[in-house]
Amino acid sequence: MTVTPPTLEQFRLEFQANGLVHLVFDCPERTMNVFSNAAIHELGVFAAWLAGADVKGVVIRSGKDNAFCAGADLTELGVAYDMIMEAPLQDRFNVAFEHFFPLSKAIRALETAGKPVAAAIAGLALGGGCELALGAHYRVLVDDPKIGLGLPESLVGLLPGAGGTQRLPRLVGLKACLPILLEGARLSGQAALNAGLAHELAKPGEEVARAEAWLLSCADARQPWDRVDWVLPSTPEIDVILAPLRAKADPLYPAPIAILDCVQYGLPQTFEGAIRSEMAIFAHLIQRPEARNMIQTLFLGKTDYDRLKRRDALPAFVSNVVAAVQAVAGDRGDPVVLCAISEAVLPWREKHTSDELRLADYAVVKETGYPSYLGGPFSFAVRGFD
């Protein structure tokens, strides 16, 4: 029985004469692909269709020239944070889990649909985009130092919540995965190939043909961790590697600690249990104020700052705020000093929009070493040590 292909908007399907189908990620009216709620839903719909479809395999590729996928739609992430925190305290965990788990479920459904999946990566694959690529059974990466894979969630106070903390160590090994998970490192070219993050390198323009060649060569539609010969690592082995990192972790930045928890408690489990443990830890982390502050400042503020700086259009008051903060001496993490900084920037608070103040918060964090977990002096002035 022929299964009717789904109607998609964030992706499109291109059926090939050789029996393959291309799943093309091409978000409309966006310059870059991101995982919005709509895109996550469509990926799940596609995975469900794939299980019964009469196709030989799937090539996942981008319809954009600039990237494979840049990760989550962090504007929607901010809305989700507000939704979670507006729920009654006893409901927040379930609200967070149910809201964010669909991407992990969709990628898991894709890799277990019984059809081989290859990713043809001709641009940056970051965050959720990297997790989607890790969910493919084969990855062809264009050999270009500007093109690579990475999981930078820790840099904005979060963790990879769509299987990234589970697939990455299973693919590249525990020691090799930690700089990517904890420091946001990216791997390109030969380094990605050597680590096992990519299976094959290709010249620009040849990545799709190489992905198709693998799919048509009796490709295995199983991940290593779904094969009967997969060996789960022992808890003592994991503990020996992670214990020194735990000892050095800064409790003011909870994301790296949460990532270590995901790895430690997830790796000894079957994959189904592991991704649920990961999401449980994510659902607690997303409720933390540090994640909210760092997303607002280090992503949304940075994005606006970089865009305006390229156009030489930064508001003049931003440099004045930085100078005012630099004039306050002392330990930036000391509560008395932080309150003094908030007093120093008080004249600007009533004169500028929240978006403009977010720009200044990012500039202060960038230029002065102000603690990013607090979001910046304007964010701290409003919320304090919550």
Side-chain angles (χ1 to χ4, degrees):
M1 181 178 67
T2 301
V3 182
T4 303
T7 299
L8 307 175
E9 295 181 358
Q10 306 300 312
F11 298 85
R12 66 175 182 269
L13 299 181
E14 295 183 356
F15 292 89
Q16 309 299 307
N18 57 12
L20 301 175
V21 62
H22 290 190
L23 178 67
V24 185
F25 201 172
D26 197 2
C27 298
E29 300 179 2
R30 289 183 185 266
T31 58
M32 189 171 288
N33 292 326
V34 294
F35 265 120
S36 62
N37 294 330
I40 292 168
H41 171 74
E42 288 187 7
L43 184 64
V45 169
F46 171 79
W49 169 82
L50 181 63
D54 185 19
V55 296
K56 294 179 180 177
V58 182
V59 174
I60 304 176
R61 62 180 179 85
S62 173
K64 310 289 188 190
D65 293 333
N66 55 0
F68 182 78
C69 173
D73 182 332
L74 289 187
T75 301
E76 285 190 3
L77 189 62
V79 173
Y81 176 87
D82 292 338
M83 175 190 69
I84 293 162
M85 300 310 291
E86 287 167 4
L89 180 62
Q90 67 273 17
D91 296 337
R92 290 177 187 172
F93 173 85
N94 286 339
V95 170
F97 193 104
E98 291 168 9
H99 181 81
F100 289 106
F101 196 50
L103 180 55
S104 191
K105 284 178 65 177
I107 296 174
R108 183 63 177 152
L110 182 69
E111 71 181 3
T112 58
K115 305 292 194 305
V117 179
I121 305 164
L124 282 175
L126 302 177
C130 180
E131 290 176 296
L132 174 60
L134 295 180
H137 305 104
Y138 196 78
R139 286 168 295 284
V140 181
L141 180 66
V142 168
D143 191 5
D144 183 325
K146 297 178 182 177
I147 296 172
L149 298 99
L151 295 168
E153 284 87 347
S154 66
L155 303 181
V156 291
L158 290 174
L159 62 85
T165 69
Q166 302 308 309
R167 289 185 179 88
L168 188 66
R170 284 168 169 82
L171 285 168
V172 307
L174 187 51
K175 290 183 179 179
C177 82
L178 293 172
I180 301 171
L181 290 173
L182 298 175
E183 303 166 18
R186 300 177 188 176
L187 291 185
S188 301
Q190 194 65 42
L193 186 67
N194 292 345
L197 201 54
H199 295 90
E200 185 176 352
L201 301 180
K203 295 179 181 178
E206 296 181 3
E207 68 281 356
V208 172
R210 299 309 308 155
E212 287 194 343
W214 180 80
L215 289 168
L216 295 170
S217 66
C218 301
D220 191 347
R222 294 174 301 167
Q223 295 284 24
W225 45 88
D226 289 325
R227 297 171 188 160
V228 294
D229 59 350
W230 176 257
V231 179
L232 294 170
S234 71
T235 299
E237 290 175 313
I238 299 170
D239 290 347
V240 167
I241 295 173
L242 299 190
L245 296 171
R246 286 192 179 281
K248 294 188 294 184
D250 185 344
L252 295 175
Y253 291 88
I257 298 171
I259 288 170
L260 294 174
D261 288 344
C262 287
V263 173
Q264 185 150 25
Y265 303 130
L267 283 188
Q269 297 188 57
T270 64
F271 202 80
E272 299 298 341
I275 58 174
R276 284 163 174 78
S277 290
E278 176 189 77
M279 183 47 58
I281 294 167
F282 182 96
H284 285 294
L285 181 64
I286 190 65
Q287 299 179 52
R288 298 280 302 244
E290 298 91 346
R292 173 205 62 207
N293 293 339
M294 293 174 74
I295 290 168
Q296 286 289 319
T297 301
L298 296 181
F299 181 80
L300 299 177
K302 180 181 186 301
T303 299
D304 292 344
Y305 181 95
D306 291 345
R307 174 175 50 81
L308 291 172
K309 188 171 183 180
R310 284 194 298 269
R311 292 161 40 194
D312 197 25
L314 279 173
F317 89 97
V318 170
S319 60
N320 295 334
V321 171
V322 172
V325 172
Q326 289 174 328
V328 180
D331 181 356
R332 297 293 192 270
D334 182 272
V336 175
V337 174
L338 292 172
C339 290
I341 290 173
S342 294
E343 289 294 321
V345 301
L346 189 61
W348 289 282
R349 280 180 57 193
E350 302 302 324
K351 299 178 182 178
H352 297 278
T353 67
S354 58
D355 287 350
E356 289 174 327
L357 296 179
R358 191 170 62 199
L359 278 176
D361 273 343
Y362 170 69
V364 168
V365 169
K366 175 177 179 286
E367 299 293 339
T368 73
Y370 190 97
S372 61
Y373 74 91
L374 293 175
F378 296 109
S379 179
F380 174 72
V382 171
R383 300 187 178 98
F385 289 97
D386 65 353

